[in-house]
Amino acid sequence: MSAPQKIVVLTGAGISAESGIATFRAADGLWEQHRIEDVATPEGFARDPALVHRFYNARRAAAASAAPNAAHKALARLQAAGRHDLLIVTQNVDDLHERGGASSVLHMHGSLAGALCADCGHRWPAPAVMAQEDPCPACHAAATRPDIVWFGEIPYHMDRIWGALREADLFVSIGTSGQVYPAAAFAQDAARAGAQTLELNLDPSALTAEFDEARQGPATRLVPAWVDSLLA
């Protein structure tokens, strides 16, 4: 690959799995022993908001107890080096990129660190434990929900992401399954605009054949090695 100037990196559950964060498994329809429809959809929240809050309170606690790994730190090192125009986009809702030293990350699926009012749309920092009856600081409605993009909702920052993909010299997908849209279309969109594409994944994904190059192995090994090669 030629030396890239503009890089878009997409990270998924695989990069945080090595820090002990449980991954979403679509095959059996369960996520940490819960049906996806019950804890990751607007309809599930409408049916049982208490269950949804318990689920995300537990995920928030698990994320807080996890530590960023070598892959998170390597991306932060690449960003800090300042040699490339690097945009980190993540499907993950944890803050391991930030705690690993990254200064600018787009969370396209929202963040456990955020709370959202389902009535007025106001956002504020989430406490460790949330409940629906928590009043919104803006409108005071008892309509608090996690600031998470659920199935059926539109991911955040899409205009900026699509724009960056169209200008990228290199798109890198790290630890993603290639099964969740719109992120599953990023490699194809970047390639159509002329970017080179690279997949770093534990196993081949559903989209491996679409990448110019694919490497398999743990993110904690592959990502630092890739970053070292760029900064050498």
Side-chain angles (χ1 to χ4, degrees), residues 8-27:
V8 177
V9 169
L10 171 71
T11 65
I15 196 170
S16 291
E18 293 184 66
S19 291
I21 303 293
T23 58
F24 160 59
R25 298 295 182 186

PDB file of all heavy atoms in Angstrom, residues 8-27:
ATOM      1  N   VAL A   8      -9.434   6.641   7.566  1.00  0.00           N
ATOM      2  CA  VAL A   8     -10.630   6.425   8.388  1.00  0.00           C
ATOM      3  C   VAL A   8     -10.530   5.028   8.975  1.00  0.00           C
ATOM      4  O   VAL A   8     -10.383   4.048   8.238  1.00  0.00           O
ATOM      5  CB  VAL A   8     -11.934   6.566   7.572  1.00  0.00           C
ATOM      6  CG1 VAL A   8     -13.136   6.248   8.453  1.00  0.00           C
ATOM      7  CG2 VAL A   8     -12.064   7.974   6.999  1.00  0.00           C
ATOM      8  N   VAL A   9     -10.598   4.947  10.289  1.00  0.00           N
ATOM      9  CA  VAL A   9     -10.567   3.660  10.989  1.00  0.00           C
ATOM     10  C   VAL A   9     -11.938   3.411  11.609  1.00  0.00           C
ATOM     11  O   VAL A   9     -12.472   4.273  12.315  1.00  0.00           O
ATOM     12  CB  VAL A   9      -9.490   3.653  12.096  1.00  0.00           C
ATOM     13  CG1 VAL A   9      -9.645   2.425  12.989  1.00  0.00           C
ATOM     14  CG2 VAL A   9      -8.098   3.677  11.485  1.00  0.00           C
ATOM     15  N   LEU A  10     -12.510   2.256  11.323  1.00  0.00           N
ATOM     16  CA  LEU A  10     -13.751   1.815  11.954  1.00  0.00           C
ATOM     17  C   LEU A  10     -13.430   0.703  12.931  1.00  0.00           C
ATOM     18  O   LEU A  10     -12.779  -0.279  12.561  1.00  0.00           O
ATOM     19  CB  LEU A  10     -14.738   1.299  10.907  1.00  0.00           C
ATOM     20  CG  LEU A  10     -15.993   0.620  11.457  1.00  0.00           C
ATOM     21  CD1 LEU A  10     -16.931   1.636  12.106  1.00  0.00           C
ATOM     22  CD2 LEU A  10     -16.719  -0.167  10.372  1.00  0.00           C
ATOM     23  N   THR A  11     -13.867   0.835  14.182  1.00  0.00           N
ATOM     24  CA  THR A  11     -13.663  -0.239  15.152  1.00  0.00           C
ATOM     25  C   THR A  11     -15.002  -0.813  15.603  1.00  0.00           C
ATOM     26  O   THR A  11     -16.003  -0.104  15.678  1.00  0.00           O
ATOM     27  CB  THR A  11     -12.874   0.236  16.383  1.00  0.00           C
ATOM     28  OG1 THR A  11     -13.639   1.213  17.099  1.00  0.00           O
ATOM     29  CG2 THR A  11     -11.533   0.836  15.976  1.00  0.00           C
ATOM     30  N   GLY A  12     -14.980  -2.112  15.886  1.00  0.00           N
ATOM     31  CA  GLY A  12     -16.169  -2.800  16.360  1.00  0.00           C
ATOM     32  C   GLY A  12     -15.892  -3.567  17.631  1.00  0.00           C
ATOM     33  O   GLY A  12     -14.852  -3.377  18.281  1.00  0.00           O
ATOM     34  N   ALA A  13     -16.804  -4.456  17.957  1.00  0.00           N
ATOM     35  CA  ALA A  13     -16.758  -5.149  19.241  1.00  0.00           C
ATOM     36  C   ALA A  13     -15.465  -5.925  19.455  1.00  0.00           C
ATOM     37  O   ALA A  13     -15.022  -6.100  20.586  1.00  0.00           O
ATOM     38  CB  ALA A  13     -17.951  -6.090  19.365  1.00  0.00           C
ATOM     39  N   GLY A  14     -14.838  -6.378  18.350  1.00  0.00           N
ATOM     40  CA  GLY A  14     -13.637  -7.190  18.487  1.00  0.00           C
ATOM     41  C   GLY A  14     -12.484  -6.479  19.155  1.00  0.00           C
ATOM     42  O   GLY A  14     -11.665  -7.122  19.824  1.00  0.00           O
ATOM     43  N   ILE A  15     -12.398  -5.161  19.016  1.00  0.00           N
ATOM     44  CA  ILE A  15     -11.269  -4.447  19.624  1.00  0.00           C
ATOM     45  C   ILE A  15     -11.445  -4.338  21.134  1.00  0.00           C
ATOM     46  O   ILE A  15     -10.467  -4.340  21.884  1.00  0.00           O
ATOM     47  CB  ILE A  15     -11.077  -3.054  18.986  1.00  0.00           C
ATOM     48  CG1 ILE A  15      -9.688  -2.488  19.333  1.00  0.00           C
ATOM     49  CG2 ILE A  15     -12.174  -2.087  19.392  1.00  0.00           C
ATOM     50  CD1 ILE A  15      -9.324  -1.231  18.553  1.00  0.00           C
ATOM     51  N   SER A  16     -12.694  -4.266  21.604  1.00  0.00           N
ATOM     52  CA  SER A  16     -12.944  -4.169  23.041  1.00  0.00           C
ATOM     53  C   SER A  16     -13.100  -5.533  23.702  1.00  0.00           C
ATOM     54  O   SER A  16     -13.012  -5.642  24.927  1.00  0.00           O
ATOM     55  CB  SER A  16     -14.195  -3.325  23.306  1.00  0.00           C
ATOM     56  OG  SER A  16     -13.962  -1.970  22.969  1.00  0.00           O
ATOM     57  N   ALA A  17     -13.328  -6.568  22.897  1.00  0.00           N
ATOM     58  CA  ALA A  17     -13.485  -7.913  23.466  1.00  0.00           C
ATOM     59  C   ALA A  17     -12.234  -8.334  24.227  1.00  0.00           C
ATOM     60  O   ALA A  17     -12.314  -9.024  25.250  1.00  0.00           O
ATOM     61  CB  ALA A  17     -13.789  -8.919  22.364  1.00  0.00           C
ATOM     62  N   GLU A  18     -11.069  -7.892  23.747  1.00  0.00           N
ATOM     63  CA  GLU A  18      -9.823  -8.257  24.419  1.00  0.00           C
ATOM     64  C   GLU A  18      -9.611  -7.479  25.717  1.00  0.00           C
ATOM     65  O   GLU A  18      -8.666  -7.767  26.461  1.00  0.00           O
ATOM     66  CB  GLU A  18      -8.648  -8.070  23.465  1.00  0.00           C
ATOM     67  CG  GLU A  18      -8.679  -9.043  22.303  1.00  0.00           C
ATOM     68  CD  GLU A  18      -7.466  -8.916  21.411  1.00  0.00           C
ATOM     69  OE1 GLU A  18      -6.343  -9.228  21.879  1.00  0.00           O
ATOM     70  OE2 GLU A  18      -7.622  -8.501  20.255  1.00  0.00           O
ATOM     71  N   SER A  19     -10.487  -6.520  25.981  1.00  0.00           N
ATOM     72  CA  SER A  19     -10.495  -5.845  27.285  1.00  0.00           C
ATOM     73  C   SER A  19     -11.570  -6.424  28.198  1.00  0.00           C
ATOM     74  O   SER A  19     -11.784  -5.908  29.299  1.00  0.00           O
ATOM     75  CB  SER A  19     -10.733  -4.340  27.089  1.00  0.00           C
ATOM     76  OG  SER A  19      -9.629  -3.721  26.483  1.00  0.00           O
ATOM     77  N   GLY A  20     -12.247  -7.466  27.737  1.00  0.00           N
ATOM     78  CA  GLY A  20     -13.259  -8.129  28.557  1.00  0.00           C
ATOM     79  C   GLY A  20     -14.672  -7.634  28.351  1.00  0.00           C
ATOM     80  O   GLY A  20     -15.573  -8.023  29.112  1.00  0.00           O
ATOM     81  N   ILE A  21     -14.912  -6.801  27.323  1.00  0.00           N
ATOM     82  CA  ILE A  21     -16.261  -6.319  27.038  1.00  0.00           C
ATOM     83  C   ILE A  21     -16.980  -7.356  26.191  1.00  0.00           C
ATOM     84  O   ILE A  21     -16.499  -7.727  25.119  1.00  0.00           O
ATOM     85  CB  ILE A  21     -16.227  -4.970  26.297  1.00  0.00           C
ATOM     86  CG1 ILE A  21     -15.459  -3.926  27.109  1.00  0.00           C
ATOM     87  CG2 ILE A  21     -17.635  -4.500  25.989  1.00  0.00           C
ATOM     88  CD1 ILE A  21     -16.137  -3.527  28.393  1.00  0.00           C
ATOM     89  N   ALA A  22     -18.119  -7.822  26.651  1.00  0.00           N
ATOM     90  CA  ALA A  22     -18.864  -8.854  25.935  1.00  0.00           C
ATOM     91  C   ALA A  22     -19.308  -8.338  24.571  1.00  0.00           C
ATOM     92  O   ALA A  22     -19.705  -7.187  24.411  1.00  0.00           O
ATOM     93  CB  ALA A  22     -20.091  -9.289  26.744  1.00  0.00           C
ATOM     94  N   THR A  23     -19.229  -9.220  23.562  1.00  0.00           N
ATOM     95  CA  THR A  23     -19.616  -8.843  22.207  1.00  0.00           C
ATOM     96  C   THR A  23     -21.074  -9.187  21.947  1.00  0.00           C
ATOM     97  O   THR A  23     -21.658 -10.066  22.578  1.00  0.00           O
ATOM     98  CB  THR A  23     -18.745  -9.566  21.163  1.00  0.00           C
ATOM     99  OG1 THR A  23     -18.887 -10.982  21.350  1.00  0.00           O
ATOM    100  CG2 THR A  23     -17.291  -9.183  21.319  1.00  0.00           C
ATOM    101  N   PHE A  24     -21.647  -8.468  20.988  1.00  0.00           N
ATOM    102  CA  PHE A  24     -23.011  -8.738  20.546  1.00  0.00           C
ATOM    103  C   PHE A  24     -22.980  -9.959  19.627  1.00  0.00           C
ATOM    104  O   PHE A  24     -22.237  -9.992  18.655  1.00  0.00           O
ATOM    105  CB  PHE A  24     -23.561  -7.514  19.811  1.00  0.00           C
ATOM    106  CG  PHE A  24     -24.725  -7.806  18.915  1.00  0.00           C
ATOM    107  CD1 PHE A  24     -25.883  -8.357  19.418  1.00  0.00           C
ATOM    108  CD2 PHE A  24     -24.659  -7.510  17.570  1.00  0.00           C
ATOM    109  CE1 PHE A  24     -26.957  -8.615  18.595  1.00  0.00           C
ATOM    110  CE2 PHE A  24     -25.727  -7.761  16.737  1.00  0.00           C
ATOM    111  CZ  PHE A  24     -26.882  -8.318  17.246  1.00  0.00           C
ATOM    112  N   ARG A  25     -23.812 -10.951  19.918  1.00  0.00           N
ATOM    113  CA  ARG A  25     -23.880 -12.145  19.093  1.00  0.00           C
ATOM    114  C   ARG A  25     -25.271 -12.249  18.477  1.00  0.00           C
ATOM    115  O   ARG A  25     -26.251 -12.499  19.166  1.00  0.00           O
ATOM    116  CB  ARG A  25     -23.603 -13.407  19.929  1.00  0.00           C
ATOM    117  CG  ARG A  25     -22.210 -13.434  20.548  1.00  0.00           C
ATOM    118  CD  ARG A  25     -21.132 -13.502  19.484  1.00  0.00           C
ATOM    119  NE  ARG A  25     -19.797 -13.577  20.059  1.00  0.00           N
ATOM    120  CZ  ARG A  25     -18.684 -13.522  19.345  1.00  0.00           C
ATOM    121  NH1 ARG A  25     -18.738 -13.371  18.042  1.00  0.00           N
ATOM    122  NH2 ARG A  25     -17.509 -13.597  19.936  1.00  0.00           N
ATOM    123  N   ALA A  26     -25.343 -12.069  17.165  1.00  0.00           N
ATOM    124  CA  ALA A  26     -26.639 -12.104  16.500  1.00  0.00           C
ATOM    125  C   ALA A  26     -27.111 -13.527  16.225  1.00  0.00           C
ATOM    126  O   ALA A  26     -28.289 -13.767  16.019  1.00  0.00           O
ATOM    127  CB  ALA A  26     -26.569 -11.327  15.185  1.00  0.00           C
ATOM    128  N   ALA A  27     -26.198 -14.502  16.216  1.00  0.00           N
ATOM    129  CA  ALA A  27     -26.555 -15.842  15.781  1.00  0.00           C
ATOM    130  C   ALA A  27     -27.666 -16.455  16.620  1.00  0.00           C
ATOM    131  O   ALA A  27     -28.581 -17.090  16.110  1.00  0.00           O
ATOM    132  CB  ALA A  27     -25.317 -16.741  15.801  1.00  0.00           C
TER     133      ALA A  27
END
